Amino acid sequence: AASASKAPGMPQLLVGLGNPWPSPKSARHNLGSLVMEALAEELGLTWEWRWSCWSWIAQGGDTSITIPGTFYNLSGWAVQRVLQTLDMEPGDVVVLHDDIDLEPFVWAMICNESDGGNRGVRSILQAIGVVRRLRLGVGRPASRSPPTVAAYVLGSLEPSLLQRWQTAAANGEVLQVLRSSAEAPTARKKGRLL
């Protein structure tokens, strides 16, 4: 198993966005939380439900992982309370979320005030301000109309894409991206899964 705490530069709090039931577990909007589940398993961390912040939290070494139990578009409320509970600052956070502006298997690290039309990100920016984000590409829907986009992000991921992102969490690729982001926290970086 990998270790989050042995290498310098790991963020203190990783946040994986997703929707709770009744959203399909494999929905594109759940990719952030699915990657965090795979990473927590690889790191040997155990999940604990925290009522005070309505979130799942897994802690180990210097890094904590959380999955808000709120709906995706209301994630900011939960993330703000997780920071209070764990006595952390917005600068300690990296949020992982699906992104329809990136092709499948592509990732991008960003730190700015734009939500890119992502309401979950908007909620976090409004609640705690600017944070680093690891955008996980899920590809574009056929149309940018709101109903089409909503149906697309709530629809299921292609099995090969889901498996590849989970493998990236388990084999250290995601950890490597997160660690490299700490060297230049405000720099934009983009890459593709190997």
Side-chain angles (χ1 to χ4, degrees), residues 19-63:
N19 271 316
W21 179 90
S23 172
K25 180 79 168 176
S26 63
R28 291 178 181 89
H29 244 2
N30 289 343
L31 182 57
S33 60
L34 291 167
V35 169
M36 288 297 87
E37 286 178 6
L39 183 59
E41 182 177 347
E42 174 61 18
L43 296 173
L45 304 182
T46 302
W47 292 100
E48 177 186 351
W49 176 256
R50 299 282 185 97
W51 288 103
S52 61
C53 46
W54 205 259
S55 298
W56 289 99
I57 298 177
Q59 294 180 276
D62 297 326
T63 298

Side-chain angles (χ1 to χ4, degrees), residues 96-164:
L96 287 83
H97 63 88
D98 59 295
D99 197 302
I100 62 172
D101 290 325
L102 294 175
E103 293 300 317
F105 308 107
V106 172
W107 58 264
M109 183 67 74
I110 192 169
C111 183
N112 65 23
E113 297 175 356
S114 172
D115 59 39
N118 185 308
R119 293 181 184 171
V121 171
R122 182 179 308 158
S123 173
I124 292 172
L125 293 174
Q126 290 172 345
I128 65 171
V130 175
V131 295
R132 284 179 288 165
R133 295 183 285 123
L134 180 56
R135 301 161 53 205
L136 311 173
V138 295
R140 293 177 177 83
S143 160
R144 294 296 291 221
S145 71
T148 302
V149 171
Y152 185 77
V153 297
L154 296 176
S156 292
L157 284 157
E158 295 76 8
S160 61
L161 179 58
L162 174 57
Q163 182 179 14
R164 186 63 193 89

